[in-house]
Amino acid sequence: MRDASSLDVRFYPIETNERAKGKSYTVRWKVARKKHSKTYKKYAVADDERSKIMAAHRKREPFDIETGVPVAWAAKAADTNWFDFAVEYVDWKWPSASGNSRKNMAKALTATTIALLRKPVPEQFDPVQVRRALREYTFSNRRNDPDKPVPEDMRTILVWVKRNSSPMSAWERTEIVDKVVAALGTRLDGKAAAASSVKRNDRIMNLVMTYAVRHGYLQRDPLPKGRNRTSPKVAESVDKRRLLSRDHVAAMLDWIGGRPRRGSLYRAFFATLYYAGLRPEEAVALRVGDATLPETGWGQFLVHEAQPEVGSQWTDTRTVHERRWLKGRDEGDTRVVPIRPVLVRMLHAMIKEYKLGEADLLFPGEKGGMLAGSVFRRVWVKAREAVLSEREQKTPTGKRVYDLRHTCLTTWLNRGTPPAQVAEWAGNSVQVLLSTYARCIDGDVVGILKNLEDDEDRQPVVA
C-alpha cells in the first residue's frame, strides 16, 4: 500500500489570471506526483497562503498527497466527523440566534448531514423520520431537555447517522462539496428549491464554514463562490401581480366580516395590514393601549414589538411565538403609524364587541392568547377562494397575507407620499423600500405617455 503522505513537495510561481471581472491569482504546487492549486482574488492573500505552505515544507512536515496540505493541518479534520462538528456549531450559535434563524439553520444542517453520509439511509428508516430526528433533536437544544428525552426510535436513527457521518476532511473532495451544494438546492420531492431558500442556505453554510476555518477544522472555505456557484437569482422587487385592487380588498373584508365566528375581529386584523401597512407579526403583538383611537378623524399605532410564529422547539420560552424587537430597529425602538378614519371606526366597534381592556391583545386568539398564523392564514385562503374568480385564483394576486402590506405601501408611494415618510411608517430604510417596490411604483405614467405622444406629433412624417 502506498504511503498517503510525502516530503516530496515542489512549488511553482504564483500565476496571474486575466478575467473579465478582474485579475485572480493561482498558487500551484505538487506533492509527490499529484498537482494541487488554489485561486484567490487578491495577490496578497495568495502570497500569504503560499508562504504558509512553504513554511510547513521547510519544517520538514509531511504533506497529505490527496489533499495537498500538511498532514498536521488535516489531523483535526480527519479526527472529527461532520455530525459532532455540526452539533458543536449549533450549541455555539443557539444562544445568539433568533427562533427563525435556529429553524433555518437546522434545515440547512439536516440537508448537509444527509448528503455527507458514507452509506445510503437503510430501508428500515423512514426518510421523513430521519430528517425529523436531525432537525428537531440533533440540531435543536431539545436533545438536552431532561423533561422530554429523545424518543427511542429517534435515538436509534441518530446513533446510525453519527456512526456513518463523514469526517470533516471529506470537505476537501470536490465531488463531496458538489453533492452538498446540490442537496441544499433541492426540495424533498426532488424539485429545485426556491431561489430565496437556496440563497438562505448559502448564507447559513458560509457562516458554518467560517466557524470551521476559525476553529481549525478546515483550512479554507470549500464552498464554491462567484462564477463557480450557480445559485438561482432571487427577485429583489415585489411582483406587481401580487397586489390587490381596492375592490378585491373591499369584497374580501366584507366576506370575512360576515363570518359567523369572530368575523369582525379577523376583518379588523386584515384591515390593519391593508390600511396601516403593519407586518402580521407586528399586528398580532399589538395591545389595545398601543392604539390611539379618537371619536373622529385619524388615529395612530405605537408599534414597539413583533411576535413572529416560529414553533415552540425554537424559542427559549417554549412558546409558539417569539417576542422580538422591531425588524431593522435598535433594541427598544418604536415607530408611529397613522390609522385611517375607516380603520379607527372598525377598531372601535371590534373593541366594544369583544369587551377588550387597555392591556388586552388587540387581536386575541379564540382562547385569549396570541392569534395563530395558521388560523388567520386559513381565513384568508377561504376569503380568496370565495371572492376571486377561478382565473384570478391561479395568479399570485393576494396569495399571501403579507400581500396586504405590499398593497398598502405601494398605494402610499403611488399617491405621492414621500419615500422617507413611507419608510418611517413601514419600518424600512428608504433604500430597501424603493428596491422592494421598484416594479410596483407607477409614477406619473399618464403624464409621461402624454408627453411622448405630443413629441411624436412633432416628428417629421416619413413618406
Side-chain angles (χ1 to χ4, degrees):
M1 182 176 178
R2 293 181 59 185
D3 193 355
S5 64
S6 175
L7 295 173
D8 181 14
V9 184
R10 181 179 177 182
F11 297 92
Y12 301 93
I14 295 176
E15 295 181 3
T16 301
N17 311 302
E18 298 288 347
R19 306 286 187 185
K21 293 186 178 181
K23 295 180 180 179
S24 63
Y25 305 91
T26 301
V27 177
R28 297 187 184 278
W29 73 103
K30 185 167 66 173
V31 180
R33 294 181 178 276
K34 188 173 179 64
K35 295 181 179 180
H36 301 276
S37 65
K38 292 180 182 178
T39 301
Y40 304 89
K41 292 183 178 180
K42 295 183 179 180
Y43 180 86
V45 176
D47 186 53
D48 183 58
E49 293 298 319
R50 183 173 184 269
S51 298
K52 289 179 182 178
I53 299 173
M54 294 180 70
H57 179 55
R58 284 195 295 270
K59 294 178 182 178
R60 303 296 292 168
E61 292 185 18
F63 276 57
D64 186 291
I65 296 175
E66 183 65 28
T67 64
V69 299
V71 172
W73 291 11
K76 192 172 184 180
D79 292 342
T80 305
N81 71 21
W82 162 258
F83 184 95
D84 290 333
F85 165 80
V87 169
E88 176 187 324
Y89 178 79
V90 169
D91 289 342
W92 172 79
K93 187 70 174 177
W94 189 273
S96 62
S98 67
N100 266 324
S101 295
R102 292 168 178 174
K103 180 166 62 175
N104 291 329
M105 173 177 64
K107 289 179 180 179
L109 292 176
T110 294
T112 302
T113 300
I114 293 174
L116 287 171
L117 289 173
R118 292 183 289 107
K119 297 179 181 179
V121 176
E123 292 184 1
Q124 66 263 32
F125 294 154
D126 181 353
V128 174
Q129 290 296 85
V130 172
R131 288 181 173 273
R132 179 170 173 250
L134 288 167
R135 186 180 63 251
E136 297 186 12
Y137 292 99
T138 298
F139 303 133
S140 162
N141 70 352
R142 287 179 65 179
R143 61 183 145 78
N144 299 321
D145 189 343
D147 298 327
K148 293 183 178 180
V150 179
E152 192 58 36
D153 58 336
M154 298 284 105
R155 188 181 300 278
T156 301
I157 291 172
L158 295 177
V159 167
W160 183 91
V161 171
K162 179 176 181 179
R163 188 168 61 244
N164 289 278
S165 183
S166 296
M168 289 295 288
S169 56
W171 286 101
E172 295 288 345
R173 296 164 55 189
T174 303
E175 67 272 19
I176 295 296
V177 175
D178 290 344
K179 185 178 179 182
V180 172
V181 170
L184 292 171
T186 307
R187 300 189 319 189
L188 293 180
D189 59 7
K191 296 181 180 179
S196 57
S197 297
V198 176
K199 186 176 181 179
R200 182 179 63 239
N201 287 337
D202 285 350
R203 184 170 61 250
I204 292 169
M205 290 308 299
N206 279 326
L207 292 174
V208 174
M209 292 297 103
T210 298
Y211 178 91
V213 172
R214 191 168 67 248
H215 288 80
Y217 292 104
L218 299 174
Q219 292 303 308
R220 63 183 180 90
D221 182 349
L223 294 174
K225 302 290 189 298
R227 288 185 176 184
N228 295 323
R229 181 68 171 106
T230 55
S231 298
K233 298 294 184 182
V234 180
E236 298 290 340
S237 300
V238 170
D239 185 345
K240 193 173 183 177
R241 296 176 300 166
R242 290 167 59 178
L243 304 181
L244 291 145
S245 70
R246 181 187 301 179
D247 290 342
H248 279 148
V249 175
M252 293 175 79
L253 291 181
D254 283 346
W255 185 91
I256 292 168
R259 286 171 60 89
R261 292 185 59 190
R262 296 166 56 82
S264 59
L265 186 142
Y266 293 131
R267 179 180 61 184
F269 172 77
F270 293 122
T272 296
L273 307 186
Y274 174 68
Y275 287 119
L278 267 61
R279 299 178 177 92
E281 61 266 28
E282 295 170 343
V284 298
L286 286 172
R287 301 278 171 176
V288 175
D290 296 328
T292 301
L293 304 172
E295 291 302 320
T296 60
W298 289 73
Q300 67 178 31
F301 287 123
L302 180 64
V303 187
H304 55 86
E305 70 172 289
Q307 295 217 23
E309 188 177 87
V310 296
S312 59
Q313 67 266 46
W314 310 112
T315 63
D316 293 329
T317 57
R318 288 293 188 261
T319 56
V320 174
H321 291 82
E322 179 181 44
R323 190 173 183 179
R324 305 286 294 176
W325 299 113
L326 298 183
K327 185 176 181 179
R329 300 254 175 163
D330 293 333
E331 184 175 321
D333 201 358
T334 63
R335 76 176 195 270
V336 175
V337 182
I339 308 176
R340 293 175 67 93
V342 62
L343 180 56
V344 170
R345 293 192 295 271
M346 200 180 296
L347 292 173
H348 264 308
M350 186 207 68
I351 291 171
K352 183 178 180 180
E353 178 183 351
Y354 289 92
K355 300 177 182 179
L356 301 176
E358 288 285 304
D360 292 333
L361 288 167
L362 184 59
F363 305 112
E366 290 199 36
K367 297 181 180 180
M370 197 73 62
L371 182 61
S374 59
V375 173
F376 67 69
R377 283 193 295 270
R378 186 163 59 248
V379 173
W380 183 252
V381 168
K382 291 181 178 179
R384 189 173 182 271
E385 292 174 349
V387 172
L388 299 189
S389 67
E390 188 174 339
R391 181 191 63 80
E392 290 169 333
Q393 290 178 40
K394 295 178 181 178
T395 70
T397 302
K399 199 166 188 177
R400 297 170 55 208
V401 172
Y402 209 97
D403 292 333
L404 287 165
R405 169 178 160 89
H406 290 323
T407 302
C408 175
L409 271 55
T410 300
T411 301
W412 286 345
L413 290 168
N414 284 329
R415 293 289 175 82
T417 310
Q421 183 61 74
V422 175
E424 173 62 27
W425 289 341
N428 285 335
S429 68
V430 174
Q431 180 181 0
V432 169
L433 179 79
L434 294 180
S435 64
T436 301
Y437 297 100
R439 292 190 289 174
C440 303
I441 303 173
D442 294 329
D444 186 17
V445 175
V446 175
I448 293 171
L449 294 179
K450 183 66 170 62
N451 289 337
L452 291 174
E453 184 178 339
D454 293 342
D455 183 64
E456 183 178 343
D457 293 339
R458 292 192 294 268
Q459 295 296 323
V461 177
V462 180

